[in-house]
Amino acid sequence: MSGTEIAALVASGAFAMLVLVLAVPILRLRRTVDATTDMIREVTAKTGPLLDNVNHTIDEVNTTVGQVQTTLDGVNLQLVRVDAVTGPLSAAAANIAKVANSVTEASASPLGKAAAVAFGIRRAVAARSHR
């Protein structure tokens, strides 16, 4: 055997050892990739129904929001009606307050007091004359 043949034989032996040494991590890496692939399949299988449930929930929320909007529209309509009723009532209350103020002012004026005293005197005189 020549020197080149021995060098080639040593090189091929070293390459075979390298392949054997790297085979174990490569096989372990293959198991990791397989496990990851299985996990991704599971996640994919479970994600579809989950998204369907989310879509169904969103549809129900949209329906509820529509019902709430309808209810609020009804409440706003009733508030407009209440405003229509209370508008004239507030005007009537203001007029009553004006009349009450006028009566209060009239009874508190000196002429009103004098009339009240005269009425009281007439009543006392009439009560005394009946005795």
Side-chain angles (χ1 to χ4, degrees):
M1 258 196 206
S2 71
T4 48
E5 290 177 345
I6 291 175
L9 190 60
V10 169
S12 66
F15 184 73
M17 287 299 288
L18 179 65
V19 168
L20 287 175
V21 168
L22 291 178
V24 173
I26 289 174
L27 290 175
R28 285 187 182 165
L29 183 63
R30 180 177 175 226
R31 287 186 191 137
T32 304
V33 170
D34 288 344
T36 305
T37 303
D38 290 341
M39 185 179 64
I40 289 173
R41 282 188 188 129
E42 278 184 44
V43 168
T44 301
K46 292 180 180 179
T47 302
L50 181 64
L51 289 176
D52 289 341
N53 288 341
V54 168
N55 285 336
H56 180 68
T57 303
I58 288 173
D59 289 342
E60 288 179 355
V61 167
N62 285 338
T63 301
T64 304
V65 167
Q67 291 170 348
V68 167
Q69 183 62 43
T70 302
T71 302
L72 287 176
D73 290 343
V75 167
N76 286 335
L77 180 64
Q78 293 301 323
L79 286 175
V80 167
R81 290 179 181 167
V82 167
D83 284 345
V85 169
T86 56
L89 290 178
S90 66
N95 289 339
I96 290 171
K98 287 179 185 176
V99 169
N101 286 338
S102 297
V103 169
T104 303
E105 287 175 10
S107 64
S109 69
L111 181 60
K113 288 180 183 179
V117 168
F119 176 74
I121 292 173
R122 272 190 284 152
R123 195 165 187 196
V125 171
R128 205 167 211 206
S129 41
H130 281 297
R131 282 190 183 175

